[in-house]
Amino acid sequence: MAPSGSLAVPLAVLVLLLWGAPWTHGRRSNVRVITDENWRELLEGDWMIEFYAPWCPACQNLQPEWESFAEWGEDLEVNIAKVDVTEQPGLSGRFIITALPTIYHCKDGEFRRYQGPRTKKDFINFISDKEWKSIEPVSSWFGPGSVLMSSMSALFQLSMWIRTCHNYFIEDLGLPVWGSYTVFALATLFSGLLLGLCMIFVADCLCPSKKRRPQPYPYPSKKLLSESAQPLKKVEEEQEADEEDVSEEEAGSKEGTNKDFPQNAIRQRSLGPTLATDKS
């Protein structure tokens, strides 16, 4: 009988532990986990969201306070959530997380950054006293649902995907570091060429180029010909008049030279005998 009694105590302890495990698990489930798939739930209702990383010491110190604050979520009518930025890089870019831990309060789609003390009491007072009303909400341009922040989220996801591929090339495939960089360089080059071809194709489809027909040579009309011919006729008449004046002047100069020639010949003849007598 003694051995059976000694086994009863360990069995009772084991039953109590198994009975308490679901209760402990239920307490931890008060903090909801937000991912890229369900983050739009934050746009409705009252929320307190913590952005953390498992390796961050400040985040580790905050976890007990945050878990205790989550127990009051139902009484305060507020949802308590957390985001692991190492697992959800898209949300890290969407909310522009530059420091850890970062806490946001959201009320019906309006986001405000909490910058007060990080204790359970301060969190409760922040919600119960509605201290969040004194904080300026994030601009709609930089809200998590805006086009700008959606692009930022996609960029962060792309960077994480590239990092994952880089680690796969080096650790699993055994490529050197420069080999991984070469693969990404070639991928960037070909993707740029493909994107350029797609843009040209879309531009041609939306704005097709119009073929221009050669325009016929504009022949001048009769009026234009007659009007343009009149100045030419005037120029020709002036040139002819100038030529006639020049010919008359030349003819007059020739007549003058012909008249002077006989007189010069007579003088030479008269002077000829006198020169002969002088020589003798």
Side-chain angles (χ1 to χ4, degrees), residues 259-276:
K259 291 178 180 180
D260 294 337
F261 179 74
Q263 295 178 358
N264 292 332
I266 295 169
R267 290 178 182 175
Q268 289 178 358
R269 289 178 182 176
S270 61
L271 291 174
T274 55
L275 287 174

Side-chain angles (χ1 to χ4, degrees), residues 223-233:
K223 292 183 178 180
L224 292 175
L225 289 174
S226 60
E227 291 178 357
S228 60
Q230 290 179 358
L232 293 175
K233 290 181 179 179

Side-chain angles (χ1 to χ4, degrees), residues 14-217:
L14 180 61
V15 169
L16 290 174
L17 292 174
L18 293 175
W19 183 265
W23 178 75
T24 305
H25 180 71
R27 288 181 59 187
R28 292 182 180 178
S29 65
N30 290 333
V31 179
R32 302 183 60 177
V33 178
I34 302 299
T35 63
D36 285 318
E37 286 74 23
N38 64 353
W39 76 269
R40 291 191 176 275
E41 295 180 5
L42 302 176
L43 302 178
E44 297 179 357
D46 201 356
W47 292 80
M48 286 287 284
I49 313 104
E50 175 204 5
F51 292 84
Y52 74 100
W55 49 263
C56 174
C59 300
Q60 295 172 3
N61 296 332
L62 178 61
Q63 291 309 308
E65 298 290 336
W66 197 252
E67 294 290 342
S68 300
F69 171 55
E71 297 176 4
W72 289 75
E74 186 175 356
D75 297 333
L76 296 172
E77 296 181 352
V78 62
N79 299 301
I80 313 301
K82 62 181 180 180
V83 178
D84 185 356
V85 295
T86 60
E87 297 292 334
Q88 309 297 328
L91 293 179
S92 177
R94 191 179 292 276
F95 286 87
I96 317 179
I97 303 303
T98 58
L100 293 174
T102 298
I103 299 174
Y104 273 95
H105 173 262
C106 178
K107 178 68 174 177
D108 296 331
E110 288 187 350
F111 290 84
R112 295 172 174 86
R113 187 167 181 174
Y114 176 82
Q115 295 180 340
R118 300 169 183 172
T119 62
K120 171 186 172 182
K121 182 180 179 181
D122 293 308
F123 292 148
I124 293 174
N125 293 335
F126 182 78
I127 298 298
S128 61
D129 298 340
K130 297 184 178 180
E131 296 178 0
W132 49 268
K133 290 185 176 181
S134 61
I135 302 175
E136 187 71 20
V138 177
S139 173
S140 59
W141 288 97
F142 298 98
S146 63
V147 176
L148 180 61
M149 292 298 101
S150 298
S151 303
M152 187 68 68
S153 174
L155 183 62
F156 272 64
Q157 290 178 346
L158 177 62
S159 64
M160 183 58 67
W161 179 80
I162 291 175
R163 182 179 179 181
T164 303
C165 293
H166 177 69
N167 294 333
Y168 173 76
F169 291 152
I170 294 176
E171 297 175 1
D172 297 343
L173 299 182
L175 290 177
V177 176
W178 63 266
S180 176
Y181 290 160
T182 303
V183 171
F184 284 114
L186 293 176
T188 304
L189 178 62
F190 285 112
S191 61
L193 293 174
L194 182 61
L195 180 61
L197 291 175
C198 292
M199 292 179 66
I200 293 173
F201 177 75
V202 172
D204 288 339
C205 291
L206 297 177
C207 302
S209 58
K210 298 180 180 180
K211 295 182 179 180
R212 296 182 178 180
R213 296 181 179 179
Q215 297 180 355
Y217 182 78

